[in-house]
Amino acid sequence: MSKPIGSIFFLFLFSMLLSNSEGHLKFADGKVAQNSSSWCIAKYSANDTELANIIVSVCYFLLDDCNIIQPGGSCFIPNTLINHASVVMNQFYAKIGRSYCSDLITVTDPSYGSCKYA
């Protein structure tokens, strides 16, 4: 199995393990994230290599949705890996129906200025 297919397969299996029968992600304390008021962001403990890999991997699937982290995009500033990774992770999270987040789920909207998280 090639690495990209293996990664997609792992992503699918991992999301299935984290989801209950209603398709909502459970928090560690058993609370369920509400689909309309949760956002996926990068872990602050992630290193630059991990963050760069997240951006490349997620943007491969999102295509044009990653324009918002490019120069001139609404979420380009601050131009940091943690910011860009969080933005694209949330774009992916929203695009797949808020059913999978590999890092952190927040119930506080991380939008700022002209950068609006989906």
Side-chain angles (χ1 to χ4, degrees):
M1 184 180 296
S2 70
K3 194 170 189 173
I5 293 173
S7 297
I8 293 169
F9 182 70
F10 175 77
L11 178 71
F12 173 75
L13 285 180
F14 191 67
S15 66
M16 295 304 291
L17 289 173
L18 292 177
S19 297
N20 66 16
S21 62
E22 297 172 350
H24 298 170
L25 186 64
K26 286 190 172 185
F27 287 95
D29 66 359
K31 294 180 181 173
V32 177
Q34 298 299 315
N35 277 350
S36 62
S37 60
S38 62
W39 297 266
C40 180
I41 58 172
K43 292 183 284 190
Y44 293 105
S45 61
N47 65 45
D48 286 353
T49 301
E50 292 169 324
L51 295 170
N53 286 338
I54 288 168
I55 294 167
V56 169
S57 298
V58 173
C59 285
Y60 175 79
F61 292 103
L62 293 176
L63 301 174
D64 290 339
D65 287 345
C66 283
N67 289 337
I68 63 174
I69 63 166
Q70 300 300 317
S74 61
C75 298
F76 177 70
I77 303 294
N79 183 13
T80 62
L81 288 173
I82 188 78
N83 177 61
H84 291 178
S86 291
V87 168
V88 298
M89 286 177 70
N90 188 70
Q91 291 290 100
F92 180 75
Y93 178 65
K95 189 169 197 160
I96 63 168
R98 290 179 161 72
S99 61
Y100 174 79
C101 178
S102 63
D103 282 12
L104 299 174
I105 290 184
T106 180
V107 293
T108 304
D109 186 353
S111 298
Y112 58 92
S114 63
C115 181
K116 304 299 181 205
Y117 277 60

